[in-house]
Every structure is written in C-alpha cells, then in structure tokens.
Amino acid sequence: MTSSFDSSRFGSPVPRGGTTPSPKSRPLWLQSAILVGGFTMLLYVIEIVDVLSGERLERNGVEPRSIDGLWGILFAPVLHDDWAHLFANTVPLLVLGFLVLLSGIARGLAATGIVWVVGGLGTWLTGGTYSNHIGASVLIFGWLAYLLVRGIFARSIGQILVGVVVFVVYGGLLWGVLPSAPGVSWQGHLFGAVGGVVAAWLLSSDARKQRNQKAVGPQSFG
C-alpha cells in the first residue's frame, strides 16, 4: 500500500448431457484459484481505466480524518499508484489470497472483509493529514497475519505448519508495518495486519468452543 501526498477433492464429472458443473461442484482449490485470480484481473482492469482517465481513480483512496475520505476505505485496496505498484503486489496477492480461501470460501471472504474494514479504518484514523492511501497491500498484510496466527488460535497443527511456511517465505514483509520510506503507507500495512489478527481470532471461535466443550467433557447428574 502506498501513501501519496496531495502536496500527496476433485469435483464431480460433467453430466452426460454436457452441462457444466455448478461452482459448488468444483473442488475448493479451483474455486479459490478462480476467485483470487478474478480479483487480481479486476485490479489490472481498474489500473487500465485509471491510466486512461489521467490517474483520476487513484485519488479516491483513504484520506485520513476527512469525511469524504471515508469512502476510500471501500476503494483503496483496488487502486494503485502505478503499474510498478500493482506488479509488486500481484504475486503475494495471488499466493496469500489463495491460501486464505483454502480455509473455506465463506471463511476466507469473511476474513478478507474484516481486514478490508479494519485496515482502512485504522489508516483513516492514523494516516498523515492530506495524504491519500491506496493499494492492495493492506489485504496482503492482513492475509499474511491471518495465516500466521489462525493456527495458534484454533490450535490446529496443519494451520500452524502452513503459517510457518508462509512466515519463511513472506515473513520479511512484516518490516513494512514500521515507518519507512516517504510515500509508503506503513499505516495501511500495520492495520491490515491488525485486521488479519482480529479476523483469525473471530473466525476461530468455533474451534475454541469445540475445544472447551471437549475439555469439560460430558457431565452426569445423579
């Protein structure tokens, strides 16, 4: 995310009739790949429109403590400063988004929604005055944090292992939550990551509840 300143299991076979399988019949990995791939393609379409419009679209990011800038919470993650900005976000967006959706489409979308709102609102509250914060990296940092901590909250060995691999590959990104070069929205990175932790906590409540019930065990009354 950047800050610009104004002065910036394999699915069912195709039925004999030749009908295409419904989305629900597709394996989860394929649904995940289609969703995150489609979202990434949308970002490229938006960037093309932005360039053709004279870069007017990218002005609609998060403008801290501005009432009009609240709308940027909705738009900022799909806007980018330039092609280099979008290219830099593409691979981690595809990889981390795919892994988040593999936890279940509904759960992954819920996590994304939480990151989107928490990241945008936190940026709106703490960003520099007269700045414009845009970029999908708020989602990247949110997804990264979500993948890193969800296994700890759910006490899932499989999810913890995924988190370890993600940390090895992308853990270096976490330095981006600290103030760095001018024009880089560390606030978006930081609060995107906070949103990921919040999402992991909220969406692991069912696993925690089941674990507590097992710990208590059945009770008998005489």
Side-chain angles (χ1 to χ4, degrees), residues 94-212:
L94 288 168
V95 174
L96 298 176
F98 176 74
L99 292 175
V100 168
L101 290 172
L102 278 181
S103 63
I105 301 300
R107 187 179 295 267
L109 292 177
T112 300
I114 294 169
V115 169
W116 200 303
V117 173
V118 173
L121 186 57
T123 302
W124 185 84
L125 289 170
T126 65
T129 304
Y130 304 120
S131 59
N132 179 50
H133 300 251
I134 56 176
S137 54
V138 64
L139 300 180
I140 292 172
F141 277 78
W143 289 341
L144 174 60
Y146 174 81
L147 291 168
L148 290 177
V149 304
R150 64 173 182 170
I152 299 174
F153 291 148
R155 294 189 184 178
S156 166
I157 298 299
Q159 291 180 359
I160 290 174
L161 290 176
V162 170
V164 170
V165 173
V166 168
F167 179 77
V168 170
V169 177
Y170 287 110
L173 289 177
L174 293 174
W175 290 108
V177 304
L178 300 175
S180 54
V184 176
S185 178
W186 63 269
Q187 297 96 337
H189 299 169
L190 174 61
F191 285 98
V194 170
V197 174
V198 171
W201 171 257
L202 292 176
L203 297 176
S204 64
S205 61
D206 53 346
R208 295 197 305 273
K209 183 177 180 180
Q210 291 177 4
R211 186 171 65 246
N212 291 336

